[in-house]
Amino acid sequence: MVNNTHDFDPKKAAEQRKAELKDITEKLEKGVQDVYSSEQYQDLLNTMAKFPHYSVNNNILIMMQKPDATLVQSYTGWKKMGRFVKKGEKGIRILAPAPFKLEKEQDKVDESGKVVLDKDGEAVKEKIEINMTAFKPVSTFDVSQTEGEPLPQIGVDELTGNIEGYQTLFEAIKSASPIPIAFEDIKSGAKGYFHVEENRIALNNGMSEIQNVKTAIHEMAHAKLHNSEAQKNNKQSKNSKEVEAESVAYTVCQHYGIDTSDYSFAYVATWSQGKELPELKESLNIIRNAASELITKIDEKVQEITAEKAPVEQVKEFGHLKLSEPFKPEAMEADKPIMIVDARTKTPEKESVVKQLKKEKTKAAKPKKTKTASKKKEEVAI
C-alpha cells in the first residue's frame, strides 16, 4: 500500500491528538473519582491507614533491594494484620527513627530571658532533656513475602482478554521502549517492574495480552519519567510516580481501543492521597505529553513492522509509464500479459494504526492457500 501524504495536515493531526488525550485523561479523572464513592474503597482506606508512610530515602532503599515491592510493613505490623512472614524470606533493610533523650546543663533564665544569678553573682545552672532522633537499620517485608488474612482491594486484580493485532502491537511497543523489555517469573506476584539500576523492564510470565500491553506501557512510563537522571533534581513520592505511570498506560491503551478502566481507575485511586486527586491534577500535562510521545513512537514502529510484512513497491518512471521494481524492460517477453495502471489514479488514504493492527489479525487468521498445478498469469505493473 502506498500512503497518500498530500492531504495530511500535521497541524490538524496534532490538534486532534491533543483533543483526544484531553478527553481520555478527563475520563480517567472522573473514573477515579467514582471509585472513591464505593464501599470497597472505604475498606481499603481502613487497611492502608495501618501502613507506614516511608520517606523518599527509604523508598529508594526499598526499590534498590526489591524493585517489585508493592506494600511494605514490619514483621510485627504484618502480624497485627493477621499475616505472617514466610519462612526463609529475607527482610528489606530500611532506616527507622530511634528517638532518645540527651541531658544537657545550661544557664537558667527567667521569664524575660535574663540569666538567673546566685548570691555570688554566678549564673545558676540547670539540667534539661533534649529530644534527639537517630536512625537504625530495621527489616521490613513486602506483602508478597507474607501469607495469611487477605487484604481488601478495589477493581480487578488482573486484566484478561486478547487484542486484535497483538503480535504486531507488542513488537512495536518493545521496539519503541527506551530500554529492554523481557519476560520473567516474578515471584512477588507483581505484574512487572522497572529496574532503575539495571535500566531494564521485566514483565511477569503468563499474563493476558491486555495485561502485557498495559503493564509494558506502565513500566515504559516509569523508565521515561522516573529514571535516575530524570529524578536527580526532582525526588517525587512513590504515590506521584505510580499515578503518572498508570495514567500514561491508561491513556495510551485507550488510544489503541484497549479498555483498562476496571484496573487503572482503582490503581490510580489507591495511590492518590485523596478525592481531590492532587497527584493526577498536578501531572496532567506530564501525563498527556508522555502519552503522546509514546503513541507517536509506537505508531511509527507499527508502520515499519507492517511495511516489512507487506513491502511497498518502489516505483521508477519511464516516460509516461511507471514500472515496479525489479521490472526490467529488456527482460519482458512479448507473450506475457501486461497490467496497465493509470499513474494519475489517486493512492489510497492513509490507514490508522488500529485498522492496520486489525488487518494483521485478519491476515494471520486466514488459512494459507495450497498451490495448484494450473499456470497463473504473470503481471507486470506499468
Side-chain angles (χ1 to χ4, degrees):
M1 181 187 74
V2 181
N3 291 333
N4 181 22
T5 58
H6 296 297
D7 299 328
F8 180 71
D9 185 344
K11 187 177 180 181
K12 185 178 179 182
E15 288 174 353
Q16 289 175 340
R17 174 67 57 78
K18 187 177 180 180
E20 178 198 17
L21 297 185
K22 185 175 182 292
D23 289 341
I24 292 173
T25 49
E26 284 176 353
K27 181 182 176 184
L28 170 66
E29 189 175 345
K30 185 183 182 303
V32 175
Q33 286 173 335
D34 290 342
V35 170
Y36 285 106
S37 61
S38 67
E39 292 180 10
Q40 293 92 336
Y41 185 71
Q42 190 56 51
D43 293 336
L44 181 69
L45 281 183
N46 295 335
T47 302
M48 294 302 291
K50 299 175 184 177
F51 286 90
H53 294 285
Y54 294 113
S55 66
V56 171
N57 287 335
N58 273 335
N59 275 320
I60 292 172
L61 288 173
I62 292 168
M63 181 179 60
M64 289 173 65
Q65 296 171 74
K66 193 170 180 60
D68 57 343
T70 54
L71 286 175
V72 177
Q73 178 68 282
S74 66
Y75 183 92
T76 53
W78 283 122
K79 191 174 180 181
K80 289 176 183 177
M81 298 174 69
R83 295 185 69 84
F84 303 90
V85 176
K86 299 173 186 176
K87 187 178 180 180
E89 290 290 346
K90 185 180 178 182
I92 304 168
R93 302 290 277 178
I94 63 171
L95 296 175
F100 66 96
K101 291 181 178 180
L102 183 68
E103 196 174 73
K104 181 182 178 182
E105 186 178 76
Q106 66 177 27
D107 294 340
K108 186 177 182 179
V109 295
D110 58 21
E111 293 179 356
S112 63
K114 292 182 179 180
V115 176
V116 178
L117 304 175
D118 61 15
K119 60 182 180 179
D120 298 323
E122 297 291 331
V124 177
K125 300 293 184 181
E126 65 175 354
K127 289 183 179 180
I128 61 167
E129 285 186 340
I130 302 174
N131 293 321
M132 303 288 287
T133 303
F135 291 89
K136 62 179 180 180
V138 297
S139 289
T140 58
F141 299 87
D142 181 56
V143 62
S144 63
Q145 298 174 292
T146 67
E147 55 191 1
E149 292 294 323
L151 298 174
Q153 65 178 44
I154 51 177
V156 298
D157 183 55
E158 185 166 322
L159 293 165
T160 58
N162 297 327
I163 299 171
E164 288 185 315
Y166 169 74
Q167 294 297 336
T168 298
L169 177 59
F170 195 76
E171 188 180 340
I173 288 170
K174 288 180 71 175
S175 298
S177 175
I179 58 176
I181 297 177
F183 286 91
E184 65 179 59
D185 292 321
I186 303 177
K187 295 180 180 179
S188 69
K191 307 293 186 291
Y193 62 86
F194 161 49
H195 202 301
V196 179
E197 288 190 319
E198 296 179 8
N199 216 30
R200 64 181 177 86
I201 289 171
L203 302 180
N204 195 27
N205 278 319
M207 299 191 298
S208 69
E209 291 179 359
I210 291 180
Q211 189 68 59
N212 285 341
V213 167
K214 202 286 305 177
T215 303
I217 297 169
H218 176 107
E219 302 305 336
M220 283 168 67
H222 274 312
K224 178 178 177 60
L225 301 174
H226 310 135
N227 58 69
S228 55
E229 186 65 29
Q231 293 292 300
K232 188 178 290 184
N233 299 315
N234 180 30
K235 290 187 177 181
Q236 285 177 272
S237 66
K238 185 171 178 65
N239 295 61
S240 177
K241 291 177 184 178
E242 292 302 327
V243 166
E244 285 183 354
E246 188 63 20
S247 298
V248 170
Y250 169 81
T251 304
V252 175
C253 284
Q254 280 286 312
H255 171 78
Y256 291 110
I258 304 166
D259 185 12
T260 67
S261 55
D262 287 345
Y263 187 96
S264 298
F265 291 172
Y267 191 100
V268 173
T270 302
W271 285 103
S272 295
Q273 292 289 347
K275 293 182 182 180
E276 297 304 315
L277 309 180
E279 296 85 0
L280 179 58
K281 290 181 177 178
E282 288 173 9
S283 300
L284 277 176
N285 284 335
I286 294 172
I287 291 164
R288 288 168 183 164
N289 289 337
S292 180
E293 288 174 16
L294 286 178
I295 288 169
T296 299
K297 288 181 181 178
I298 294 169
D299 277 0
E300 288 173 355
K301 296 300 178 182
V302 168
Q303 298 278 9
E304 289 175 12
I305 294 166
T306 306
E308 287 173 6
K309 292 179 179 178
V312 178
E313 290 182 325
Q314 301 298 316
V315 178
K316 285 187 178 180
E317 284 199 16
F318 288 82
H320 297 291
L321 300 179
K322 287 190 176 182
L323 303 178
S324 298
E325 294 282 11
F327 172 70
K328 295 180 180 179
E330 66 273 14
M332 191 180 83
E333 296 176 18
D335 60 345
K336 287 186 178 179
I338 298 176
M339 181 177 69
I340 305 298
V341 179
D342 188 346
R344 294 168 297 177
T345 302
K346 186 177 179 181
T347 52
E349 291 185 4
K350 187 176 182 180
E351 287 185 311
S352 69
V353 169
V354 174
K355 283 185 179 179
Q356 289 184 42
L357 292 173
K358 287 182 179 180
K359 271 192 172 182
E360 285 297 310
K361 183 181 180 182
T362 305
K363 286 180 183 177
K366 284 184 179 178
K368 291 183 178 179
K369 293 182 180 179
T370 54
K371 292 183 178 179
T372 60
S374 61
K375 187 177 180 181
K376 293 183 179 180
K377 293 182 178 180
E378 293 181 27
E379 294 182 334
V380 181
I382 66 172

